[in-house]
Amino acid sequence: MLSGSRCISQHCNFHCSAHQFSTILAASTLTSNSSFKNFRIRLRNRNSNSSCLSNKVCDFGVNCVQPKSSDTQSSLLSETLSQSGTDEEPPSERLPILTGGIVALGKFDALHIGHRELAIQAAKRGIPFLLSFVGMAEVLGWEPRAPIVAECDRKRILSSWAPYCGSIMPRELQIDFSKVRYLTPCQFVEKLSKELGVRGVVAGENYRFGYRAAGDASDLVKLCEEYGLEAYIINSVMDTNQISGDLNSKDGKERGQVSSTRVRYALHKGDMKYVSELLGRNHRLILMMEDQERFTSERNRLSAPKSCLLNLAPKEGLYENCSVLIDKNVIPCRVIVDTTYIHLESYEVASFSCVTSQDLKILGIDFGSPELEGVQIL
């Protein structure tokens, strides 16, 4: 247990979760000195069935994804409220939605059950936020790869966490990694306190931060105490499957905890039951439907090129007991993933005959995880 007069260490277990789409408040360029420069806010209210393509972090330092009620839809708004110089807002007004919030720290690629546990613990102490870095691959020269969760699907998942978080949907705060890469652990905590105005943080026991990951969980507790922040350190959510030692040997950070790496591994193996256990929900694949000329549709079969995918597909193979979501209709189907296409085959005749005739922007495909069903590898 980590000590500190204002710092509490929590050790927690976990549960499972379910599902609901996306609004973004992107705010300010977060610089490496102690104040914001060229402060800008862009508010984008995103229709839940709109394209995901533009839902990316721009050249802002901070993006805050705000919830809206799940039964309301709003049109796209994009407006620059202030630019720089004399019209820069005072520090106390820069990110008012964060004031007094509790921030969960981590890399929230998969939004798996470990991430949900961080949100649960944050919600017990205040308004929960998820804080992560974006643009790390570009800055560090990593190979680009498809996200596990499509950007436009993240709000649905965070909405599904609300019952675990005191009926509060966690919000996302995304910081441009290039703006904070060289911050020391002390400078990073200072920004959380003085510029973002958070009241406290929640992190896993293996969390590291600062330039070259110089700070660990114990450093986080000490620094938070110095800056008057609360700090809560929780145990990792462990993978009860404990799949292969092969995975552990390849990744030095793997200690058997639930991780986005394990989700990618399970998708690569085509083990959708295992994927569902790690995520606490079924994996949802999102197809962009805007270029429907590239789709082929028959009475009970719909085919789309993989280039239309907005997130990571499982291994090539045949997957039974899936479902396609068209508006509010759920169509049971099987999914065939090959080298270049995704094929959906409905169990009912004429189920897909009207899909390409509708003005659909995206199509969601849920992969079920029945106990006795496996994947047939092609």
Side-chain angles (χ1 to χ4, degrees):
M1 177 129 0
L2 299 172
S3 62
S5 60
R6 302 175 62 89
C7 309
I8 304 172
S9 175
Q10 292 288 120
H11 298 274
C12 313
N13 295 318
F14 63 97
H15 310 68
C16 288
S17 87
H19 311 338
Q20 275 179 42
F21 253 92
S22 168
T23 310
I24 290 184
L25 173 67
S28 79
T29 299
L30 184 61
T31 60
S32 58
N33 56 30
S34 61
S35 62
F36 283 102
K37 301 293 184 182
N38 301 323
F39 179 73
R40 299 186 288 179
I41 294 180
R42 176 173 295 176
L43 180 63
R44 291 196 299 238
N45 288 336
R46 190 170 293 282
N47 190 308
S48 63
N49 64 355
S50 64
S51 168
C52 305
L53 285 182
S54 60
N55 188 8
K56 297 179 181 177
V57 174
C58 305
D59 53 347
F60 301 105
V62 179
N63 277 357
C64 186
V65 182
Q66 290 201 108
K68 64 181 183 196
S69 60
S70 57
D71 56 355
T72 59
Q73 295 184 358
S74 54
S75 60
L76 183 66
L77 295 174
S78 182
E79 180 179 358
T80 300
L81 301 182
S82 68
Q83 295 296 331
S84 61
T86 57
D87 60 348
E88 187 178 61
E89 298 184 56
S92 62
E93 297 178 13
R94 282 171 178 157
L95 289 175
I97 59 168
L98 290 178
T99 302
I102 304 296
V103 172
L105 303 172
K107 298 177 184 176
F108 298 98
D109 180 16
L111 294 177
H112 53 60
I113 56 176
H115 295 149
R116 189 185 64 198
E117 184 61 30
L118 288 170
I120 290 171
Q121 296 307 315
K124 287 181 179 180
R125 294 156 178 92
I127 299 174
F129 290 86
L130 308 183
L131 186 148
S132 60
F133 303 113
V134 291
M136 291 184 70
E138 295 84 350
V139 172
L140 299 176
W142 296 346
E143 288 264 339
R145 58 184 184 179
I148 294 171
V149 178
E151 279 295 320
C152 58
D153 198 31
R154 295 178 71 86
K155 180 176 181 279
R156 174 187 68 89
I157 296 167
L158 294 176
S159 294
S160 76
W161 291 2
Y164 301 91
C165 298
S167 300
I168 301 173
M169 181 183 122
R171 308 178 187 184
E172 285 199 274
L173 178 69
Q174 299 176 326
I175 294 182
D176 185 341
F177 180 68
S178 68
K179 308 299 181 184
V180 297
R181 179 185 184 185
Y182 296 106
L183 295 186
T184 65
C186 183
Q187 289 172 327
F188 176 69
V189 173
E190 181 181 19
K191 288 205 176 286
L192 292 178
S193 173
K194 295 186 177 180
E195 297 184 11
L196 299 184
V198 305
R199 180 163 59 85
V201 299
V202 176
E205 59 188 341
N206 298 321
Y207 184 72
R208 301 198 69 90
F209 66 106
Y211 184 52
R212 297 187 182 276
D216 61 14
S218 61
D219 295 320
L220 182 63
V221 169
K222 294 173 185 175
L223 288 167
C224 284
E225 181 179 5
E226 289 180 20
Y227 283 94
L229 303 180
E230 301 166 17
Y232 305 91
I233 306 301
I234 70 171
N235 282 344
S236 299
V237 174
M238 302 307 290
D239 175 13
T240 55
N241 259 333
Q242 288 300 312
I243 52 162
S244 66
D246 172 49
L247 178 60
N248 291 336
S249 63
K250 287 181 179 178
D251 190 339
K253 297 179 182 178
E254 286 289 332
R255 298 291 186 269
Q257 74 274 20
V258 172
S259 65
S260 296
T261 300
R262 285 180 179 255
V263 177
R264 288 183 180 275
Y265 178 89
L267 285 168
H268 177 71
K269 293 293 185 183
D271 188 343
M272 302 313 292
K273 179 177 181 295
Y274 184 36
V275 171
S276 295
E277 291 172 356
L278 294 170
L279 295 179
R281 64 182 185 276
N282 289 336
H283 181 56
R284 179 170 292 184
L285 198 58
I286 302 293
L287 276 172
M288 183 178 61
M289 295 285 291
E290 290 187 327
D291 190 4
Q292 292 191 9
E293 292 181 357
R294 303 170 65 193
F295 287 62
T296 58
S297 177
E298 300 173 10
R299 296 184 69 191
N300 71 326
R301 184 180 173 98
L302 178 69
S303 299
K306 277 184 165 180
S307 57
C308 293
L309 293 176
L310 295 178
N311 60 319
L312 186 61
K315 183 176 182 175
E316 295 167 19
L318 169 63
Y319 299 86
E320 298 284 357
N321 296 289
C322 300
S323 59
V324 176
L325 310 171
I326 301 176
D327 292 328
K328 295 183 179 180
N329 299 315
V330 178
I331 301 175
C333 68
R334 65 174 60 90
V335 177
I336 302 169
V337 181
D338 65 26
T339 55
T340 55
Y341 273 80
I342 301 288
H343 308 279
L344 313 177
E345 293 184 351
S346 169
Y347 299 119
E348 302 172 6
V349 177
S351 294
F352 294 133
S353 57
C354 63
V355 170
T356 53
S357 64
Q358 296 187 36
D359 186 25
L360 296 176
K361 301 296 184 184
I362 58 175
L363 196 67
I365 307 165
D366 273 7
F367 286 77
S369 56
E371 291 281 341
L372 300 177
E373 291 289 340
V375 54
Q376 302 174 29
I377 304 302
L378 298 178

